[in-house]
Amino acid sequence: MNKSFSMSYCISPTVKSKGGNFFFFFQMYGRYTQDLGVYAKEEAARLRESGQRRSLSDRSRSLDLLEYKGRCAKCQICTVRCQKFLISRVGEDWIFLILLGLVMALVSWGMDYCIAICLEAHKWMYGGLDSNVLLQYLAWVTYPVVLITFSAGFTQILAPQAVGSGIPEMKTILRGVVLKEYLTFKTFVAKVIGLTCALGSGMPLGKEGPFVHVASLCAALLCKFMSLFGGIYENESRNIEMLAAACAVGVGCCFAAPIGGVLFSIEVTSTFFAVRNYWRGFFAATFSAFIFRVLAVWNRDEETITALFKTRFRLDFPFDLQELPAFAVIGIASGFGGALFVYLNRLIVQFIRTQKTINRFLMKKRLLYPVLVTLIISTLTFPPGFGQFMAGKLTQKESLVTLLDNRTWAKQGIAEEFDYIGHSQAWKHPQVNVFVTLVLFIVMKFWMSALATTLPVPCGAFMPVFVIGAAFGRLVGESMAAWFPDGINTDGTIYPIVPGGYAVVGAAALSGAVTHTVSTAVIVFELTGQISHILPVMIAVILANAVAQSLQPSLYDSIIRIKKLPYLPELGWGHHEKYNIRVEDIMVRDVRYITLNCTYRDLHNVLLSGNLKTLALVETAESMILLGSIEHAQLQSLLSQQLGRSRRLEYIREQAAAEKKRLSMVSNTGSEEDCHRVSQEVRFQVRAHHQRSLKLKCFFFFFFQITEWEEKQLDEQVNFNNCKIDPAPFQLVERTSLHKTHTIFSLLGLDHAYVTSIGRLIGVVSLKELRKAIEGSVTVKGVKVRPPLASFRDSGTSSSESEATELHKLWDRNKNMSLPREQTPSESDEKSQ
Amino acid sequence: MNKSFSMSYCISPTVKSKGGNFFFFFQMYGRYTQDLGVYAKEEAARLRESGQRRSLSDRSRSLDLLEYKGRCAKCQICTVRCQKFLISRVGEDWIFLILLGLVMALVSWGMDYCIAICLEAHKWMYGGLDSNVLLQYLAWVTYPVVLITFSAGFTQILAPQAVGSGIPEMKTILRGVVLKEYLTFKTFVAKVIGLTCALGSGMPLGKEGPFVHVASLCAALLCKFMSLFGGIYENESRNIEMLAAACAVGVGCCFAAPIGGVLFSIEVTSTFFAVRNYWRGFFAATFSAFIFRVLAVWNRDEETITALFKTRFRLDFPFDLQELPAFAVIGIASGFGGALFVYLNRLIVQFIRTQKTINRFLMKKRLLYPVLVTLIISTLTFPPGFGQFMAGKLTQKESLVTLLDNRTWAKQGIAEEFDYIGHSQAWKHPQVNVFVTLVLFIVMKFWMSALATTLPVPCGAFMPVFVIGAAFGRLVGESMAAWFPDGINTDGTIYPIVPGGYAVVGAAALSGAVTHTVSTAVIVFELTGQISHILPVMIAVILANAVAQSLQPSLYDSIIRIKKLPYLPELGWGHHEKYNIRVEDIMVRDVRYITLNCTYRDLHNVLLSGNLKTLALVETAESMILLGSIEHAQLQSLLSQQLGRSRRLEYIREQAAAEKKRLSMVSNTGSEEDCHRVSQEVRFQVRAHHQRSLKLKCFFFFFFQITEWEEKQLDEQVNFNNCKIDPAPFQLVERTSLHKTHTIFSLLGLDHAYVTSIGRLIGVVSLKELRKAIEGSVTVKGVKVRPPLASFRDSGTSSSESEATELHKLWDRNKNMSLPREQTPSESDEKSQ
């Protein structure tokens, strides 16, 4: 409704100066109809709602009567009471969290089911055509190409926001920035279907990142749905808390890892975490993981609830102390590998973007890039081809299961003797050593994963990286096992080395390095169902993080930078020069404000000049004393009230009545014109239905009158009576340091803050300025963008000299017993007048 | 130094009015000597430091020369370079964290070792006297009584702050409140020794809570120690971050549970958690847990690094889906049990406090209470007595190990058949069923633990509660095993029920309920080294938390309330009336401030009138425009500079010189008096060493002169040149809501915030007021404590009317084109003048 108004206001001022033309009329007309449509919808919704309420209360009343009619009614009454109780409780958090967990578990399980079918079909096709290698190749390649192309096309058409992992976007949203199009139903559908197809293709893509997004989408949609029942769901900050819980659910029901999910989502999405929200995440993620695993049991896939990738390592002697250096090596190498992965991923994206010819070509044929990438990757993994050297036959899940196997593949330095059971067979090649297979697998999957995650489909990078890490760990483990065939321990008992444990450590370390998180350790324990390797895993993860964090940003931060999302970066610890930047150096001095005694025209102009979320309300333009802030929407509704349909109708009605009266006083002869004017009110209401049938010309008579009325309305003073004013907007002082500002902004999730000096509004700092200042694109000296408006205002107090001299100046002045501050406003009065 | 000054200033004003007396002189004298002592120490420290630096640089220079002298020198050079590098790096976080982890692991291991010896000695004494039951009883009872009494006495004498768990205090400190005496070396010693004795006595006490305190103490002392090397450690906020990491280390090295430690410490101590500190906790806790366990391996206690209470449950089928209701029952019952424990604990403390006769008696004989309690508890656990029915023979650790046993004690409903090995024997009684033993154990230990944790020794409640929970879980598990002897699963394979798994679930649930944390689940996994029961544990812990949180505060919050620590409670979600309270309703209007042109006398009076941490600096008393805030210490040093020793000496020297000159001009005959005056300067410096030998009477001549000089000095205007002023103290507006204020205070860890209206300081809100307002002891109407000073100031704008009317008043005034705000200060000028 507001939008339509602002649209029309964009036009009217230019029109007014020209004296009005036909276009303006159409504009008005267009607006009225649109308005009416919206109005009708709203009315209908209101009626429906009240009808529902009435029917509910009717039902309960009738049931109260029924109470005395018979015994069988008691059950019914009980049911109704339960229902009432439930409805009264529906606003509570735990109901929401249970619903969220349930829905997400169902989505996750359903998706896994579909993906499994897709992969099964791929294998079946490939297996059925084993008579002809060419046909086999075609089947092997075409299937993923088709699926990925469909996924890319579908996502592109329905909701391009669904592309990619979604964690960077969630990080930004949880920071307080509104990215509305990322949380719509369309995006949900696009993400779920696109992700299922993408993962069903067998490409090295992950489910975890997108699942965080899917869970958040689910939470946002549930919030909307639940707000039909109660008013709590309209609370903005509560919704953000629910989104944070949803992120945990996403990870939790993807890996059946509730604790790891909560921790991972905190690490990945938050800067400051409110501990009171902790239980929400745990509750929802646990419930979701539980349902997710129970579905598998009910479906007879599993006997009982266990871990997804259950391992069976020795419990009594999981590892020797002397193996710890090997684990540390895995950690450090994973750190470098993780940084390289992030770098490679960014390089590919930037290469495609900067190479103009490639870029132009790809922009034209958007689906060509996914087709090409899929073709390359699937060709290379073709099992009878190169794939035989890198276990190309196995799906991601199968490779992980084999890599975490507790048997040793290589014994006594010769890799040929072990008996491969089931999928492990794929790692065996008659000519090639298992070490070579592993190295090839790691190298090929590394660049393939980095490449595949740049595809314009919903996809994550966690799982591919996890598998690569496991393969690397396995490689180190197998080498250790070959080096020390009888284990390292020298105290009698022989404990052979368990390469599967190394795989677990490697998986946690590499995924931790890529995402810059420590909680991958917990995810690993929950995924494997064993915690015996806790110390090696923790050591490796911490080392990997230390190395990776010093080399590259995390994958998600890297994507945030590439996508240029409005996220506030962390303030580095080493940058001590940042402590010397003050708010006055970065603030915008040209603040949009409205005064207490402004007219609707001023309001209109201010609203036109930019789309800030809130506007400052000052006493007068001279004193500039900040009284509060008003939301943009509030002001627009003020304006629309003043110039809205009802007031226009009223005016026209009055005019018509006056005209009628005048005419009836002058003469009683009814003219066609008069008749038109009287019936005009009716027409207004009918118009929405019979737009075409309207006789337009009778409006020309009113047109100039309406313009005149509009002008008069705009010159009236604004009445702030029914306006919601925030009396205490966030204020900073000009001397507040950048460091403090950053802390306050990121703690409170602020979007902007006003800068005041003795109550006078002198500037505004928004996230944008802060980001710029932190990213170092501006220096202390180079920042002072002095807009024209600021130059004639007294800003003598806002130089960047040290605070001491500033105060002493004041002190000296004070000694002479003058009160300089109080004169300032009147001085500026004189200047501006 | 500052303290001594303020002490003397407390006296001088009263003295001055009386014209001076002997007491004042002694006071001055006392101060000078104390001052000199401090000064000497500081000088010595400075010299020592510069000496060190010189010797270092000397050494490096000489080594540079050595470089060309021979090959063997190269090694030395290398060492020196490494040393230099290390010293340059010593300021970095990870060095600190490694040191902290190392120290804490050593402390933890050493303490465990001592406790084990103590318990061993107890057993040996008891076992050696098995010929005589009475002697046996005496030995059994006397030993803990002596240890507990020693612990209580030692703690009481050395540092009473070391009593209790320490987690509530750490929670308060991490909130930003300074409780300095809780982080001293004395407290550290008292806590470590007291805790060792208390745990060595075999009472149902825990190590975990105090260990959080010990780790924090250790971190604080390390910070102090490290600040000798670099300046970073003087940063207050950094130290608080380190304390947060230390809490994680405390839990981590107590249970060898790094992940659980980090999470538990976050849940227990923080309200808002900065994710950037996450890795610190993980790093330090992992390192600490690693060293702690490695020490056990080196000491040949263990073969390799494993969990503390390793379990050996079935991996392939840990539990059946149909067992989940039983787990849920454990969770809910634990929730009630946890709430009951907290209630019981508080009841005991309050009973002792409120019963005046008991209280008076106990205050006189402070050690009587611990003696009595220990006597009762140890009598009841005496193995040949009642202890035989409740496995009283076992230590806490032994009971836990037996409770987590993976064998089933009760089979086929008859509890007699199982073969008890090792300590499990204690649970077997010839006449009594194992169920009865378990129930008795739970009931007796429950009240014993609640009672024992009120003892005035360093002690925690986590471990006793954990053991009780495990026993309760075991009870349920054994009942289930007796009920379903062949397991519940009906699909062919027989999987008998594992009561040990129930014990794990019960332990996590009850400890979670008492502490209101979810992370006990993680601690349990790390303690047992198995994660297979993750879902039952999570479900039980969440249910237990839900129940316990709705009934009682957590044990730590309960202690915070009992001890009346300055902690800001959480703002409940249901209390919507809190949203209507504004800052103006709770703020203190009688703000202590200093003006820019104040004299030292004003400063002196303000400093005397209260010990606030910071003082507001306003322009003038009339305008009240807030310019910044100055720390108390800064002002004291300003005052001490003005009236300090050096200036006094200078004055006296000048006086002496003038006197000399005058005397030499008048006549050359040297009087005894003159001689005294000249030598007086020397005496001042010598006095610190020869206090007794001074001839006091020569001072009487100067005494009046000094008083006069002091008076003159006090009347001078304060020079703020060398004073550190915070130019942007935290400001709120009078209309800021309580909810917003609470959020800001707890997010930023504020201690106080100024309330301003158009730049004028009108009030101050400190933690105290906020706490009062939240705790509901004040209502909107009842709050307005209008101090006398506020009544004559213009506070027309600060009524609790709705903001709308407020603004519209202004708006109406504005219509008349007046600027009322600017007149306000001058109005108040007139009033106050």
Side-chain angles (χ1 to χ4, degrees), chain B residues 536-586:
Chain B
V537 168
M538 290 300 297
I539 289 169
V541 166
I542 287 172
L543 284 174
N545 263 288
V547 173
Q549 290 190 11
S550 60
L551 294 174
Q552 283 282 322
S554 84
L555 184 64
Y556 306 122
D557 286 332
S558 161
I559 295 174
I560 282 179
R561 281 191 209 172
I562 292 172
K563 286 197 173 180
K564 297 207 171 92
L565 290 172
Y567 184 76
L568 192 61
E570 276 295 296
L571 207 58
W573 285 104
H575 306 292
H576 286 292
E577 71 272 17
K578 308 276 185 199
Y579 292 84
N580 297 327
I581 302 180
R582 307 262 163 197
V583 161
E584 56 182 348
D585 299 322
I586 59 165

Side-chain angles (χ1 to χ4, degrees), chain A residues 3-30:
Chain A
K3 200 163 185 185
S4 73
F5 271 109
S6 69
M7 204 175 72
S8 69
Y9 287 133
C10 290
I11 310 288
S12 52
T14 58
V15 168
K16 263 178 274 164
S17 59
K18 287 179 191 169
N21 60 17
F22 204 83
F23 177 70
F24 177 51
F25 170 72
F26 267 111
Q27 194 58 38
M28 298 287 292
Y29 176 74

Side-chain angles (χ1 to χ4, degrees), chain A residues 267 271 273 275 278 290 304 319 324 526 529 531 534 596 718 721 725 728 740 747-748 803 808 811 821, chain B residues 267 271 273 275 278 290 304 319 324 526 529 531 534 596 619 718 721 725 728 740 747-748 803 808 811:
Chain A
E267 275 193 277
T271 24
F273 184 72
V275 178
Y278 203 57
F290 170 64
T304 186
F319 59 93
L324 283 178
E526 291 181 280
I531 204 170
I534 179 162
L596 254 192
V718 180
N721 267 330
I725 298 169
K740 199 170 177 181
L747 271 173
L748 305 177
E803 59 203 60
H808 298 136
W811 182 52
R821 292 278 168 154
Chain B
E267 276 194 276
T271 24
F273 184 72
V275 178
Y278 204 56
F290 170 64
T304 186
F319 60 93
L324 282 178
E526 291 181 280
I531 204 169
I534 179 162
L596 254 191
E619 202 182 31
V718 180
N721 268 327
I725 298 169
K740 199 170 177 180
L747 270 174
L748 304 177
E803 60 204 58
H808 298 135
W811 181 52

